Amino acid sequence: MSQFQRTAAFHTLGCKLNFAETSTIARQLTEAGYEKVSFDEKANVYVINTCSVTENADRECKLHVKRAMKANPDGLVVIVGCYAQLKPEEISQIEGVDLVLGAKEKFNILSYLDDLEKSENEGIVHSCEIEETDFFIGSYSIGDRTRAFLKVQDGCDYKCTYCTIPLARGISRSDTIENVLKNAKEIAERDIKEIVLTGVNIGDYGKGEFGNKRHEHTFLDLISELDQVEGIERIRISSIEPNLLKDESIELVSKSKSFVPHFHIPLQSGSDELLKKMKRRYLTKLYTDRVNKIREVMPDAAIGVDVIVGFPGETEELFMETYNFLNELPITYLHVFTYSERENTEAAEMEGVVPIPERKRRNKMLRILSEKKKMAFYQTQLGKTLPVLWEHENKDGKMFGFTENYVRVQKDFDQSSVNQIEFLKLEKIEADGTVSVMNSFESFLEKI
């Protein structure tokens, strides 16, 4: 590529971890002289960071390749991420794709761009065996959002029967505490108010590189150190397995100056029978204990739950076990996933396949339950004066933000409020499901 062709565009599919890694790759390119542009603008390089969890990974990848080709038919298209690791040859056949980089290669993107030319046939693949992915690259996202996603861990040693993530990301491994703290301080220096800790299995934090299974540190060590970093107003834990969320960590968050009262704890099923088939490392009693412990020390904490519907063998009776379990549990909202078969997983070979329409019906039932749970939680927060971190977006004259305990609020757009934390009284739930707030002057008068 000519040294004068120095524009690059990026698009991310999937999780917070992908956003952190896209930002790191983007910084590598900008530091090498590339100008970052919007994905729908003409660019010389388009980087698409893919996800394997979404049901339509193939369709989504093709869709964004077409977007890139529409913006610039001569632009180089590079595919990275979990889907690129799992299906590199398949992706290389997509018209317009020039380069596919696996889990190990994506952070060396610059070395592959030097001599890359627009492909007339299939793209070039550089993808290691996943067993070779035994190193850790620290990442964090900045510039695109009010909050930064800080990667502290990668990979997973669990063998859940439905999941391809270990195949896409390799073994569990962690950043050093020293490097995490360095990255957190860099984020703080950029006036970013909130950090979201992210990884594949962050509760397993502390396992070293190169397959060292011994924990150099624990998750509790990590959050204890991060809580001392000056300049970060909020730290949010993205998602943590219930068996790895210990009482000590919950207690620390409850007394912390930085960590917010918000937990996202994957459940996947409210049926012990299905949890065993999924090879999860807990049963419903432990999950209930975790939720009750949080409620005991943080009554107003937000608690989010991941749940899968339509797993093989999920009868109507077992589904209703999940529904009733969640209905009775004092949680805040659900992320509902419809089970879809994945190659090279145990679940794909299991009997008791649930018909697609039935999977969709169960998904809808849980999404309705989620909305009811969220609105009930929001109702308990009305009348309280809480700190709100405002985001950049101006949507039809409105701006949006979140309280520490993840209530989504709105007010009339005010540029001076962007990326600021304001103490505001929550007034009422609007038709769009957000909560409107009393203006800051009225809230201030009420406080005094």
Side-chain angles (χ1 to χ4, degrees), residues 87-149:
K87 303 273 188 176
E89 302 298 336
E90 193 174 294
I91 294 171
S92 72
Q93 305 290 323
I94 298 173
E95 185 178 352
V97 171
D98 302 293
L99 180 63
V100 183
L101 298 178
K104 190 171 186 177
E105 293 77 15
K106 62 189 173 188
F107 293 110
N108 292 322
I109 185 171
L110 282 165
S111 65
Y112 298 106
L113 287 179
D114 287 343
D115 302 314
L116 188 64
E117 296 181 354
K118 190 67 192 167
S119 171
E120 294 184 8
N121 298 306
E122 62 187 65
I124 298 168
V125 173
H126 293 282
S127 182
C128 66
E129 294 298 319
I130 198 61
E131 291 79 12
E132 297 173 35
T133 311
D134 53 8
F135 59 95
F136 188 90
I137 301 291
S139 306
Y140 59 87
S141 66
I142 53 170
D144 303 326
R145 295 161 179 262
T146 307
R147 60 191 61 83
F149 299 136

Side-chain angles (χ1 to χ4, degrees), residues 3 28 55 89 108 150 153 155 163 222 281 294 348 350 354 391 443:
Q3 62 177 332
Q28 287 180 354
E55 190 174 351
E89 302 298 336
N108 292 322
L150 174 57
Q153 183 274 342
C163 186
L222 174 71
R281 299 196 178 194
I294 294 167
M350 290 180 180
V354 179
E391 298 174 342
S443 293

Side-chain angles (χ1 to χ4, degrees), residues 15-17 149-156 158 162 195-205 219 222-223 235-246 249 259-260 262-268 280 282 287 294 302-307 333 335 337 406:
C15 64
K16 297 177 177 69
L17 182 54
F149 299 136
L150 174 57
K151 173 183 171 183
V152 300
Q153 183 274 342
D154 201 350
C156 188
Y158 288 7
Y162 53 82
I195 287 176
V196 182
L197 298 186
T198 186
V200 175
N201 187 359
I202 62 173
D204 199 30
Y205 175 83
F219 182 71
L222 174 71
I223 61 177
I235 306 177
R236 202 175 292 274
I237 300 169
S238 63
S239 180
I240 184 166
E241 294 285 307
N243 53 302
L244 297 174
L245 179 57
K246 308 298 185 185
S249 296
F259 281 87
V260 297
H262 177 203
F263 295 85
H264 194 91
I265 315 169
L267 170 67
Q268 311 311 9
R280 301 293 286 163
Y282 54 87
Y287 196 93
I294 294 167
I303 304 175
V305 181
D306 287 342
V307 61
Y333 63 91
H335 284 173
F337 299 88
Y406 215 54

Side-chain angles (χ1 to χ4, degrees), residues 146 186-194 231-232 418-420:
T146 307
E186 287 179 14
I187 292 167
E189 288 166 2
R190 295 172 180 265
D191 194 34
I192 293 172
K193 300 288 193 292
E194 180 174 306
I232 295 294
V418 169
N419 197 37
Q420 298 302 311

Side-chain angles (χ1 to χ4, degrees), residues 382-429:
L382 296 183
K384 296 182 179 180
T385 298
L386 300 174
V388 178
L389 174 57
W390 293 106
E391 298 174 342
H392 299 77
E393 184 182 18
N394 181 346
K395 187 175 180 182
D396 300 324
K398 296 289 183 182
M399 69 190 308
F400 300 87
F402 283 99
T403 62
E404 290 182 334
N405 60 345
Y406 215 54
V407 176
R408 186 160 170 78
V409 298
Q410 61 143 291
K411 70 170 184 173
D412 292 337
F413 187 83
D414 177 359
Q415 183 63 44
S416 66
S417 292
V418 169
N419 197 37
Q420 298 302 311
I421 293 176
E422 299 175 344
F423 280 81
L424 298 166
K425 185 176 181 180
L426 276 56
E427 281 205 298
K428 70 170 185 172
I429 301 172

